[in-house]
Structures are given as C-alpha cells and as structure tokens.
Amino acid sequence: MTRSKAVIPKEWVTHKTKIPKGTIPSSFTMTAAELRAREINSWSEKLFQDNVISLATGFGYILIYHTHDSRRSQPGFPDLVLVNPRTKRVLFRELKSAKGVISKEQQQWADGLRKAGADHAFWYPKDWVSERIHNDLRGAANA
C-alpha cells in the first residue's frame, strides 16, 4: 500500500495554532503492527540480544554463549552461539542493529562457518518483526 505525502496547512505549522481535533491526515496514522515494527527497529543491540536470548531459551536453547567483551575476542566472531541439545541444533548468529553494518571480519567468519556446514546468519530487528528469528529457532523450513 502506497501512502501519499500529507499536506500540512501553513497555519498549523506555527506554534500559536493547535492542530484541531480529528483533523490529523490519515497518512499520519499507523497501524498497531507498524507502530510495533517501528519500536522493534529502534532496539539497541543490547536490548535486541536480551530479547533473542529470552526467546531462544523458550525454544529450548539451554547452552547460549555470548561474548561479554568483544575487545578481547577474535574479531568478527558471532555474537551468539545457541545450542539446543533436544533438537540437536547449533546456531551461530551475529546480531545487528537496524542500521548495523557487517564488518569484513564478521563476513569472513560467516563465510567460513557456512562453508564448514554450520548454521550461521545475521539477524536484524526486522527479522524479529517478520518472525524469521522465531522460525530459525524453531527450525522451520525456509527459515
């Protein structure tokens, strides 16, 4: 669905005039899903990681490794190693903020782990919204 830009009457722009009730253009409104997606995309990497760990625990990942101080670890090593002994799954995940950029070292680790047959991926907050993270943790097909 494409939204057109709202035209705000000039008289509304001054600090003296309040916007009359019931006159906010429909293009300014957001659905609950859009509002939630916006909130999730503003998560810090720390909050994102905390939420992922909580979700992973709920899916039975009882062994979870994350580096507390990346300055003392191998550059580019993934943020999380998630192990679920019940489902016999091991996931290597690099978490990025909505604006996060993949470093050269992170890409090298990703390529090496994938070539060795490991399940590696980069996760962004948008992947929480799309439920990709949930599907990956569940082991759903096409996750």
Side-chain angles (χ1 to χ4, degrees):
M1 178 168 97
T2 318
R3 294 189 178 185
S4 59
K5 287 188 175 181
V7 178
I8 301 172
K10 209 184 256 186
E11 61 271 12
W12 290 10
V13 179
T14 70
H15 295 289
K16 297 175 187 174
T17 307
K18 292 184 179 180
I19 298 174
K21 287 184 180 179
T23 56
I24 296 174
S26 61
S27 61
F28 282 9
T29 61
M30 297 179 108
T31 65
E34 290 170 328
L35 192 59
R36 179 76 175 136
R38 180 183 231 177
E39 175 192 336
I40 290 168
N41 280 316
S42 70
W43 283 352
S44 67
E45 199 168 305
K46 168 80 170 100
L47 179 58
F48 183 32
Q49 180 171 291
D50 290 346
N51 285 317
V52 167
I53 289 172
S54 178
L55 184 66
T57 302
F59 276 110
Y61 290 83
I62 59 171
L63 299 172
I64 299 173
Y65 170 82
H66 63 95
T67 303
H68 289 280
D69 186 353
S70 62
R71 294 172 298 179
R72 294 184 178 198
S73 66
Q74 185 71 30
F77 188 79
D79 292 321
L80 296 175
V81 179
L82 307 159
V83 180
N84 187 330
R86 184 179 49 80
T87 60
K88 298 178 180 154
R89 299 189 73 230
V90 177
L91 307 177
F92 293 86
R93 293 300 187 263
E94 179 65 38
L95 306 181
K96 306 304 282 180
S97 67
K99 295 179 181 179
V101 176
I102 299 167
S103 73
K104 177 181 148 193
E105 293 84 5
Q106 289 169 335
Q107 191 61 58
Q108 287 173 333
W109 270 101
D111 294 342
L113 287 166
R114 289 182 192 139
K115 285 178 184 173
D119 187 337
H120 177 282
F122 295 97
W123 280 344
Y124 294 84
K126 68 180 181 179
D127 297 320
W128 185 282
V129 175
S130 72
E131 297 196 0
R132 175 186 174 200
I133 294 171
H134 299 69
N135 292 332
D136 279 3
L137 290 169
R138 268 199 316 262
N142 289 333

